[in-house]
């Protein structure tokens, strides 16, 4: 299990260097498909009549433990992860915007978009348990565990195809107001969840082994589907089954307001959207989602070294069940998972010609602690930008609930863009977030 734990962490940082994808470029006043993805009303504000997305890739990893200097030092990363008593949070989120097209016809905008999503999270993990599995608490005779939160280890992959329509309801010389909607068809690929809530007990040490004794039953959910049922500590476990069958729908709704500055420009643009309203059902031959009570009462303490060589949740489940630590409550073969519904607010201000500042807020509607919930981050950002037409550059400054404040940099050269939400803060102040995005789109007419 200790090798498995390290593999999970390295997986997060191996994909690429918060879940605010394409920050800065997605709120540019050069409006395109990326703008429409965060607010479907923007498709009626396209800068060109037609835009074709060739590719867009964004990978984000954020945590509350590992800083940039830790990655370049000789420190044991597992020791750093499980330092202190505060819960450990590691989040990875990858998104690929595939072939997509958008067009503007008079006061209407339409789009067909494709996306692939890859996510992996460690949520509120007790560092004392990690230390015990890592065999690093042998000097402590007794460690007390008392958690009232749900410790989750969750991975998921899914694809989506969106059909969008937007319309400028009001459009005169001074103002415009638009509304838009996107219907998304969902293609769930793989899923895994380990959710342990209400764990109360003690960890004791004997020789090189650590033992867990519970004082009361805890609740445990173990769910898996697709490729992640067999293993989820390697990158290939995610990428080989991103798109599954059509088994879900979701929708986005949005609105934009513009105080115009001429025929095509504006002094202020504001937007509001609610995204990912919906869910999807995972169906596979090796599906399982089971709720248990977990307790060592009436049995020997749980030897945590039993998990040293596990590579998937099915093995964890078998070890606990075969040793009598689990009592089944209920279970099902096919199960539903909720998308991370997000409320998004933003406003873009023209300061002087070609200089703009964007304020952005992303707030998740549902809690990450629910076992059937895909996770998201609460984010606030401010992005100053210089737009010279063919060339644009910007500096996103953001804060989120896991890694704190980040400072990034990005630019656009024609249809090509490249950037990071955190490159400046990671290199200059030992930031705990690493991310990267790039893409190319072609707009004309």
């Amino acid at each position: 299990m200790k090798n498995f734990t390290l593999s999970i962490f390295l997986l997060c940082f191996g994909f690429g260097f918060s879940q605010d994808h394409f920050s800065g470029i997605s709120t540019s006043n050069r409006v395109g498909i990326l703008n429409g993805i965060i607010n479907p009303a923007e498709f009626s504000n396209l800068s060109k009549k037609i835009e074709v997305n060739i590719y867009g890739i964004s990978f984000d990893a954020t945590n509350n433990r590992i800083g940039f200097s830790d990655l370049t030092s000789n420190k044991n990363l597992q020791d750093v992860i499980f330092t202190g008593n505060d819960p450990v949070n590691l989040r990875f989120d990858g998104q690929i915007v595939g072939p997509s097209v958008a067009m503007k016809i008079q006061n209407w905008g339409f789009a067909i978009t494709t996306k692939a999503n890859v996510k992996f999270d460690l949520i509120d993990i007790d560092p004392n348990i990690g230390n015990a599995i890592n065999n690093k608490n042998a000097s402590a005779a007794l460690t007390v565990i008392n958690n009232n939160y749900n410790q989750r280890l969750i991975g998921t992959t899914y694809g989506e195809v969106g059909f969008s329509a937007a319309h400028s309801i009001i459009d005169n010389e001074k103002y415009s107001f638009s509304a838009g909607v996107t219907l998304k068809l969902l293609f769930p690929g793989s899923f895994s969840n380990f959710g342990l809530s209400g764990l109360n007990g003690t960890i004791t040490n004997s020789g090189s082994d650590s033992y867990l004794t519970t004082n009361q039953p805890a609740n445990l959910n173990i769910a898996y589907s697709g490729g992640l049922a067999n293993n989820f500590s390697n990158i290939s476990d995610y990428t080989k089954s991103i798109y599954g069958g059509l088994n879900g729908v979701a929708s986005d709704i949005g609105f934009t307001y513009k105080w115009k500055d001429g025929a095509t420009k504006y002094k202020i643009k504001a937007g509001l959207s609610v995204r990912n309203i919906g869910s999807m059902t995972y169906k596979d031959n090796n599906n399982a989602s089971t709720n248990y009570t977990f307790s060592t009462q009436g049995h020997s303490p749980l030897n945590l070294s039993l998990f040293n060589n596990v590579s998937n949740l099915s093995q964890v489940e078998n070890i606990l069940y075969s040793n009598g630590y689990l009592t089944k409550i209920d279970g099902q073969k096919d199960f539903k998972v909720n998308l991370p519904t997000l409320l998004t607010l933003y406003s873009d201000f023209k300061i002087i010609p070609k200089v703009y500042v964007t304020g952005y807020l992303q707030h998740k509607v549902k809690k990450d602690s629910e076992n059937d919930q895909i996770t998201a981050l609460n984010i606030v950002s401010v992005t100053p930008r210089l737009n010279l037409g063919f060339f644009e550059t910007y500096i996103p400054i953001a804060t989120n609930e896991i890694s704190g404040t980040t400072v990034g940099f990005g630019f656009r050269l024609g249809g090509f863009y490249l950037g990071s939400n955190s490159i400046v803060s990671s290199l200059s102040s030992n930031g705990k977030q690493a991310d990267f995005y790039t893409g190319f789109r072609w707009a004309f007419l």
Side-chain angles (χ1 to χ4, degrees), residues 362-405:
Q362 174 179 292
H363 183 75
K364 58 190 173 190
V365 175
K366 300 176 182 179
K367 295 181 179 179
D368 291 340
S369 58
E370 300 298 323
N371 287 312
D372 61 354
Q373 180 63 52
I374 297 175
T375 64
L377 289 179
N378 294 325
I379 299 170
V380 177
S381 68
V382 175
T383 304
R385 77 178 70 251
L386 173 66
N387 192 336
L388 302 178
F390 189 77
F391 176 77
E392 178 180 4
T393 186
Y394 43 87
I395 300 175
I397 304 167
T399 183
N400 67 64
E401 61 196 292
I402 303 298
S403 61
T405 301

Side-chain angles (χ1 to χ4, degrees), residues 166-391:
H167 181 57
S168 295
I169 300 172
I170 300 173
D171 192 4
N172 55 43
E173 293 182 355
K174 293 185 177 181
Y175 310 102
S176 71
F177 178 78
S178 302
V181 62
T182 296
L183 173 66
K184 295 190 282 191
L185 305 180
L186 305 177
F187 301 83
S190 297
F191 182 81
S192 63
N193 181 74
F194 179 94
L196 180 62
S197 62
L199 181 62
N200 183 297
T202 56
I203 296 175
T204 56
N205 298 281
S206 177
S208 61
D209 293 333
S210 297
Y211 297 86
L212 173 65
T213 301
T214 60
N215 297 328
Q216 63 187 34
N219 295 315
L220 175 63
N221 172 263
I222 296 180
Y224 40 81
S225 176
L228 296 185
N230 301 318
N231 198 322
F232 58 88
S233 59
N234 300 310
I235 293 176
S236 60
D237 301 325
Y238 292 79
T239 57
K240 67 184 178 182
S241 57
I242 295 178
Y243 268 81
L246 174 58
N247 278 307
V249 295
S251 62
D252 303 344
I253 58 173
F255 307 90
T256 62
Y257 165 82
K258 288 193 295 185
W259 178 14
K260 290 187 174 181
D261 184 20
T264 60
K265 299 180 180 180
Y266 57 80
K267 298 177 181 178
I268 299 175
K269 181 176 71 173
L272 180 152
S273 66
V274 182
R275 293 180 281 153
N276 296 330
I277 308 169
S279 62
M280 53 190 172
T281 300
Y282 280 86
K283 297 182 178 181
D284 196 80
N285 292 333
N286 57 356
N287 261 29
S289 178
T290 311
N291 293 310
Y292 298 99
T293 58
F294 166 67
S295 176
T296 65
Q297 302 301 306
H299 301 277
S300 301
L302 173 60
N303 187 343
L304 297 177
S305 67
L306 292 174
F307 303 108
N308 277 352
N309 298 313
V310 304
S311 61
N312 59 61
L313 293 184
S314 179
Q315 292 177 341
V316 174
E317 186 176 31
N318 290 335
I319 290 172
L320 294 175
Y321 195 84
S322 62
N323 286 279
Y325 299 118
L326 297 182
T327 301
K328 183 176 178 179
I329 300 174
D330 55 48
Q332 53 190 328
K333 179 176 175 57
D334 299 332
F335 53 90
K336 184 175 72 173
V337 175
N338 295 312
L339 264 61
T341 303
L342 300 172
L343 172 66
T344 300
L345 293 166
Y346 60 91
S347 186
D348 193 34
F349 299 86
K350 178 182 177 181
I351 306 302
I352 58 175
K354 303 186 185 304
V355 177
Y356 295 79
V357 174
T358 303
Y360 178 89
L361 167 69
Q362 174 179 292
H363 183 75
K364 58 190 173 190
V365 175
K366 300 176 182 179
K367 295 181 179 179
D368 291 340
S369 58
E370 300 298 323
N371 287 312
D372 61 354
Q373 180 63 52
I374 297 175
T375 64
L377 289 179
N378 294 325
I379 299 170
V380 177
S381 68
V382 175
T383 304
R385 77 178 70 251
L386 173 66
N387 192 336
L388 302 178
F390 189 77
F391 176 77

